[in-house]
Amino acid sequence: MREIMKSVSHLQASQLLHNKFIVVLGDSIQRAVYKDLVLLVQKEKYLSLRQLRSKGEMTFEQDCLVEGGCLGQMHNGTEYKEVRQFQSAHHLVRFYFVTRIYSRYMKSILEDFRHGLKPDLVFVNSCVWDISRYSCSWVDDYKENLHRFFDELREALPEETLVVWNLTMPLGERIKGGFLVPEIEHKAPQLRYDVIEANFYSGTLADAYGMDVLDLHFQFRFSLHHRMKDGVHWNAVAHRKITSLLLQHAAEAWGVILPCPVTVYDHTEVAEEQPTYNSAPKHTRPQTCHLEANGTQRAALPPKPHHRNQYRETRNGFDYRPPHRFEPYQEYNYQHVMRSRHARHHYAPYTQHRPFYYGYNGGYY
């Protein structure tokens, strides 16, 4: 089965995130988001099935395990921790595994933001563990924790930091996973409906707090063939699409033209060892496109879609005006990504504060 989608290339990702500090917060889905991002800034390749399934390993594609994972006890409890970091000469990407959107552990992460290096990009989601592992009546607790998290996150980060809240992806009718311990297996049939309700609350609150929202539940409603057999996780093609959506939105927020030509993918070829684009069959080879900041090259605009995001329609206008050398995207190019009401200035504090004595992948700071 072939599928058409827009994909960001390795060159575009590497240039767009040059001298940027990116933080990914969340569960195992977000960990795969982190892994695909780390892979894409280094090479034109998909994640393998083994890489998608692994957790807590000492190293992945030249990153390092900073805390938790196999350095401690591997388990499926709510206290499981895993902090990973990839550092190169011009990229810094960090991942925190969290099982609850607001907790003592999350407060310690926010303290890192207050007193440490300020991230340029934050991709965050926490939902499935929140609504299944802590309380049968999860609604009030989840809402209150979201309020606390967004309050403190807004206070801990500078206004220029771009925060994207990812709505939880569709769950299957029959699910199994690390979070679904025997004690809560009876919740499995109802959980996919609870996720829809939780997405509504979290998306609305994130918008109210000025965060950007990427509706992955909507984006993947017709891509269920990319979901794994456990009904929870997703394959490498799905994660490349997530990465592309996130980077396309970051580029637009920073006023960078990021043309992504349509690419045809054969998802049946996504197996244990993923082929690189250079070795892929002809029909899977993406067109070459480079990151342009002057607007001289640009992909043809797609037809205006008939469906529009209800949050952006009713609440969110994107009023950012980039520098004169940038040509902003047309509003309908990203109809399912809500935009913040605040300008996101293109800045890079990472290069000014990065200590010279940290070697390649050498430190956590």
Side-chain angles (χ1 to χ4, degrees):
M1 179 178 177
R2 297 182 183 181
E3 181 174 345
I4 297 176
M5 73 175 188
K6 292 185 176 182
S7 181
V8 174
S9 71
H10 153 65
L11 181 62
Q12 289 177 314
S14 179
Q15 292 180 349
L16 178 68
L17 301 180
H18 186 85
N19 288 349
K20 293 293 186 292
F21 174 27
I22 303 98
V23 172
V24 182
L25 293 166
D27 56 14
S28 55
I29 300 292
Q30 292 290 98
R31 177 170 53 216
V33 170
Y34 158 83
K35 286 185 173 182
D36 191 69
L37 191 59
V38 167
L39 184 64
L40 186 60
V41 297
Q42 298 181 80
K43 61 186 74 172
E44 201 80 86
K45 193 175 182 180
Y46 287 123
L47 290 168
S48 70
L49 187 59
R50 182 176 302 171
Q51 290 172 330
L52 282 169
R53 289 178 173 175
S54 297
K55 77 170 187 177
E57 64 269 41
M58 282 300 298
T59 183
F60 160 79
E61 292 292 339
Q62 303 189 61
D63 84 337
C64 61
L65 179 65
V66 176
E67 179 185 350
C70 65
L71 294 175
Q73 182 181 2
M74 301 287 287
H75 58 85
N76 291 324
T78 56
E79 299 300 317
Y80 176 76
K81 293 181 177 63
E82 183 179 343
V83 181
R84 314 194 64 86
Q85 179 170 284
F86 168 77
Q87 181 181 342
S88 70
H90 296 288
H91 301 97
L92 182 62
V93 189
R94 189 180 299 165
F95 167 72
Y96 295 89
F97 185 92
V98 296
T99 62
R100 202 171 196 180
I101 191 57
Y102 190 81
S103 61
R104 285 180 297 177
Y105 181 57
M106 180 61 79
K107 290 176 68 175
S108 71
I109 296 173
L110 295 173
E111 283 300 307
D112 287 348
F113 295 161
R114 288 190 183 93
H115 304 295
L117 193 65
K118 307 297 184 185
D120 300 279
L121 271 171
V122 177
F123 301 136
V124 56
N125 167 267
S126 185
C127 176
V128 175
W129 286 69
D130 296 73
I131 67 178
S132 62
R133 292 294 294 270
Y134 294 95
S135 174
C136 292
S137 302
W138 56 268
V139 175
D140 291 336
D141 286 343
Y142 189 51
K143 285 182 180 179
E144 181 62 25
N145 286 335
L146 285 168
H147 275 293
R148 292 177 179 178
F149 172 73
F150 289 138
D151 264 331
E152 295 200 19
L153 184 68
R154 186 169 58 178
E155 186 271 332
L157 296 177
E159 185 179 353
E160 293 84 3
T161 298
L162 177 62
V163 180
V164 181
W165 176 265
N166 297 342
L167 296 190
T168 304
M169 301 173 75
L171 294 182
E173 185 175 357
R174 298 180 180 179
I175 61 175
K176 58 182 179 179
F179 74 95
L180 200 65
V181 294
E183 293 79 6
I184 62 168
E185 285 182 348
H186 64 282
K187 296 184 178 181
Q190 178 64 27
L191 203 54
R192 59 184 179 140
Y193 303 110
D194 290 341
V195 161
I196 296 174
E197 186 177 0
N199 277 345
F200 172 76
Y201 296 136
S202 65
T204 303
L205 284 175
D207 181 35
Y209 277 91
M211 312 297 176
D212 293 17
V213 178
L214 176 58
D215 192 346
L216 294 180
H217 196 285
F218 180 87
Q219 289 283 348
F220 286 88
R221 70 199 189 284
F222 296 136
S223 301
L224 303 183
H225 52 282
H226 290 306
R227 193 167 56 197
M228 298 290 197
K229 293 181 180 179
D230 64 4
V232 178
H233 298 94
W234 298 73
N235 68 13
V237 171
H239 278 286
R240 183 52 49 85
K241 181 178 179 180
I242 295 172
T243 301
S244 297
L245 289 169
L246 291 170
L247 294 184
Q248 286 166 21
H249 178 58
E252 182 185 18
W254 290 334
V256 177
I257 300 301
L258 191 68
C260 297
V262 170
T263 305
V264 179
Y265 293 89
D266 189 343
H267 76 89
T268 61
E269 295 178 0
V270 180
E272 178 65 21
E273 295 297 332
Q274 301 299 337
T276 61
Y277 289 147
N278 291 333
S279 61
K282 185 175 181 180
H283 65 268
T284 65
R285 186 188 303 274
Q287 303 175 31
T288 302
C289 62
H290 301 284
L291 179 67
E292 298 292 336
N294 56 12
T296 56
Q297 296 182 11
R298 202 172 171 190
L301 293 176
K304 188 171 182 178
H306 297 292
H307 304 286
R308 304 173 71 87
N309 186 295
Q310 60 175 339
Y311 292 133
R312 187 174 63 79
E313 188 89 295
T314 58
R315 307 185 56 133
N316 239 346
F318 186 57
D319 55 5
Y320 173 69
R321 293 295 181 268
H324 63 87
R325 64 182 181 277
F326 294 134
E327 179 186 354
Y329 278 147
Q330 296 297 324
E331 183 181 7
Y332 55 81
N333 277 16
Y334 298 100
Q335 69 272 24
H336 305 307
V337 179
M338 296 197 314
R339 284 67 175 274
S340 170
R341 288 176 284 272
H342 304 290
R344 305 293 186 181
H345 302 290
H346 191 68
Y347 83 128
Y350 166 30
T351 53
Q352 301 172 16
H353 295 84
R354 181 169 178 253
F356 71 92
Y357 51 82
Y358 284 116
Y360 185 77
N361 290 338
Y364 169 57
Y365 56 95

